[in-house]
Amino acid sequence: MINYYYDNTNKLKPYTHQLDANADTLPPDNALRTPPPEKHGFWPCCKNGEWVLIENNRGQTAYNIETKSSVEIDYLGPIRDGFTLLEPFEFCMWDKKTKNWVLDESKKNTAIIQKNESIKNLLLATSNEKIAILQDIIDLDMCESNEDEQLKQWKKYRILVIRVDTNQLDIEWPKQPE
């Protein structure tokens, strides 16, 4: 004979362990004599003196459908409202109808435009630095090679960069002078 114990301090009364029992005794208040059933993704719990299977996602990662933050599941039962086992991805939002993450085109496009602005600012800073140095060389009559032509090319490049519309999603950036 075997006693199959459950945690009677937990409202679901989940199975905890088993121990040998004496044949001439009754099981303790927190045990049954029938073995608990096994099924992947479920955990046996005692309900009205019988084993029932309860959804078991313990150890898995759940994601908040509002904040996308992750938590490790440490409880028995179904996933709590406001959470999913589906992992979010960049620029996604939760679709309540399909109960799935979907691409948020607006967030994606906003991020692309912000990245374009950053690239444009970096290219302008680079060209301004090159132009300033070349202008100093020319102003101080310290030309060694074709710095006057380089200055002209960098100024043209800067104008082309300034004219780039960063609200476009697919930009072909002007090529920097050599």
Side-chain angles (χ1 to χ4, degrees), residues 2 4 8 14 27 35 42-43 62 75 79 91 114-115 122 130 133 138 140 142 150-151 155 157-159 163 169:
I2 299 175
Y4 299 93
N8 61 2
F42 292 85
W43 193 259
Y75 57 87
I79 304 297
F91 311 122
Q114 288 173 343
K115 182 180 177 186
L122 178 65
K130 294 282 189 180
I133 292 169
I138 292 167
L140 297 172
M142 298 178 72
Q150 288 179 40
L151 177 62
K155 285 183 175 183
Y157 171 73
R158 180 171 62 182
I159 291 168
R163 290 181 177 164
L169 301 180

Side-chain angles (χ1 to χ4, degrees), residues 129-141:
E129 184 180 327
K130 294 282 189 180
I131 289 168
I133 292 169
L134 289 166
Q135 191 65 59
D136 288 349
I137 290 170
I138 292 167
D139 289 349
L140 297 172
D141 291 326

Side-chain angles (χ1 to χ4, degrees), residues 62-77:
Y63 300 91
N64 184 303
I65 61 174
E66 297 295 327
T67 66
K68 301 178 194 156
S69 61
S70 63
V71 294
E72 185 175 325
I73 299 172
D74 61 357
Y75 57 87
L76 283 171

Side-chain angles (χ1 to χ4, degrees), residues 2-172:
I2 299 175
N3 284 329
Y4 299 93
Y5 290 87
Y6 54 87
D7 178 1
N8 61 2
T9 64
N10 182 312
K11 74 176 188 172
L12 293 175
K13 299 181 180 179
Y15 168 76
T16 57
H17 65 286
Q18 67 184 44
L19 293 173
D20 288 336
N22 293 328
D24 57 347
T25 63
L26 293 173
D29 288 343
N30 64 334
L32 299 175
R33 289 272 164 91
T34 56
E38 292 183 27
K39 184 177 179 185
H40 181 73
F42 292 85
W43 193 259
C45 294
C46 180
K47 183 175 182 181
N48 300 324
E50 294 183 9
W51 294 114
V52 294
L53 292 172
I54 302 291
E55 189 175 337
N56 181 16
N57 295 295
R58 291 179 293 182
Q60 294 189 59
T61 302
Y63 300 91
N64 184 303
I65 61 174
E66 297 295 327
T67 66
K68 301 178 194 156
S69 61
S70 63
V71 294
E72 185 175 325
I73 299 172
D74 61 357
Y75 57 87
L76 283 171
I79 304 297
R80 292 186 178 134
D81 286 343
F83 288 85
T84 179
L85 293 176
L86 301 172
E87 186 173 358
F89 54 90
E90 190 173 27
F91 311 122
C92 70
M93 65 182 179
W94 186 252
D95 184 340
K96 292 178 183 177
K97 288 181 184 175
T98 63
K99 296 187 179 192
N100 208 342
W101 297 111
V102 294
L103 180 63
D104 185 337
E105 291 287 343
S106 176
K107 281 184 184 178
K108 179 183 175 187
N109 293 345
T110 299
I112 290 171
I113 291 168
Q114 288 173 343
K115 182 180 177 186
N116 289 344
E117 284 290 333
S118 295
I119 292 170
K120 184 175 184 174
N121 291 336
L122 178 65
L123 296 177
L124 286 174
T126 301
S127 61
N128 287 338
E129 184 180 327
K130 294 282 189 180
I131 289 168
I133 292 169
L134 289 166
Q135 191 65 59
D136 288 349
I137 290 170
I138 292 167
D139 289 349
L140 297 172
D141 291 326
M142 298 178 72
C143 291
E144 290 183 354
S145 58
N146 65 344
E147 277 103 357
D148 53 345
E149 181 58 31
Q150 288 179 40
L151 177 62
K152 188 187 244 183
Q153 293 303 314
W154 276 102
K155 285 183 175 183
K156 284 181 183 178
Y157 171 73
R158 180 171 62 182
I159 291 168
L160 292 174
V161 170
I162 288 171
R163 290 181 177 164
V164 169
D165 180 3
T166 55
N167 291 317
Q168 300 301 312
L169 301 180
D170 190 22
I171 294 176
E172 190 171 323

